[in-house]
Amino acid sequence: MTTPDHKSPASQPPVPTVKDRIYRSPMGLVGGVLLLAVVAWLGFDALFRGHGRTPWLALAAMIMLFPLVIAFTLRPAVFANDDRLRIRNPFRVITLPWGEVETLRSGYTNEALAKSGAKYQLWAVPVSLRARKKAEQRAANAARSSASGSSATGAGAFGFGALTARGADGGPTRASSDKVMDDLRETLDRRGKEESAQGETTVRWAYELAAPAVAGAVLLVILLATNG
């Protein structure tokens, strides 16, 4: 009589993890790298070539500015999968299961509203009113072109129908930040009531960035106050 061969836990295939979709601001990343380069260039120049109190002031300024630039430019990101939305803002990381998200709102900023009433801004998905206006103009032009082409030739479905997707001038008819919010709303509608998307909202503060920034600011204030 044989017994079934039970596999040990180590031999079991790994459970696949749900990959996040990551949304970030390309212009924020570029601006952050450039700002860090400028701060480093000016700071190290003053640190090694300055005289008297200048090197100490430069050191304090760099200790304060480096974390701030990283926090507001390189750090912001939005991570989304089928179970939760994770918002990494300058000094906080907010994890929202989809079941706890009431709605996603777009105005002058993009925000996630929790069922608890809390509001969290999506720093990594900034609103560009100019891009939104241009996209709306393209959509209107595409609609007019499609309508006029269809009435003139009767071939709008084949000739001009594609213009509604990209616009009469070939540009997108939705601003990039609005497309991101559309994607997040679709996930919320689809997964908001699923069992695996329920849970509690958690907020973690980024002390690793706040602490050195505060320390640098305090040091800079002390140096300036005792100048002379």
Side-chain angles (χ1 to χ4, degrees):
M1 183 176 181
T2 61
T3 57
D5 183 16
H6 295 285
K7 295 182 178 180
S8 64
S11 64
Q12 296 290 342
V15 178
T17 58
V18 180
K19 291 185 177 180
D20 287 329
R21 302 188 303 278
I22 304 174
Y23 305 97
R24 309 186 76 169
S25 170
M27 293 305 297
L29 295 175
V30 173
V33 171
L34 293 178
L35 280 175
L36 287 175
V38 171
V39 171
W41 174 41
L42 296 177
F44 283 109
D45 182 71
L47 186 63
F48 292 109
R49 297 187 182 184
H51 302 284
R53 300 166 60 87
T54 301
W56 289 103
L57 291 171
L59 179 62
M62 286 193 294
I63 294 174
M64 179 186 67
L65 291 176
F66 273 123
L68 291 178
V69 172
I70 293 172
F72 285 96
T73 60
L74 304 183
R75 175 179 168 81
V78 173
F79 305 85
N81 59 34
D82 286 345
D83 293 334
R84 55 104 180 98
L85 175 69
R86 184 159 59 95
I87 305 168
R88 193 171 71 189
N89 282 345
F91 295 107
R92 293 192 299 175
V93 177
I94 304 101
T95 302
L96 285 162
W98 287 115
E100 291 296 310
V101 180
E102 181 68 30
T103 187
L104 293 160
R105 185 170 63 187
S106 295
Y108 292 104
T109 60
N110 290 315
E111 301 165 337
L113 276 67
K115 292 182 178 179
S116 63
K119 179 175 66 176
Y120 304 105
Q121 183 177 343
L122 277 63
W123 279 78
V125 190
V127 172
S128 172
L129 297 180
R130 180 183 179 185
R132 182 179 288 173
K133 185 176 180 179
K134 290 175 65 176
E136 290 173 352
Q137 185 63 41
R138 289 192 186 100
N141 292 339
R144 286 194 294 268
S145 299
S146 179
S148 61
S150 177
S151 60
T153 66
F158 299 97
F160 292 92
L163 292 176
T164 59
R166 292 293 298 175
D169 59 354
T173 57
R174 291 283 284 170
S176 58
S177 62
D178 291 336
K179 290 181 180 179
V180 171
M181 296 302 288
D182 290 342
D183 185 28
L184 296 178
R185 290 190 189 99
E186 186 276 332
T187 305
L188 173 61
D189 293 339
R190 178 170 51 87
R191 299 288 302 174
K193 296 182 179 180
E194 296 295 328
E195 183 178 355
S196 62
Q198 308 305 312
E200 296 183 357
T201 301
T202 61
V203 178
R204 183 182 69 82
W205 289 89
Y207 296 107
E208 66 276 10
L209 290 174
V214 171
V218 171
L219 179 59
L220 187 61
V221 169
I222 292 174
L223 290 172
L224 292 174
T226 58
N227 187 21

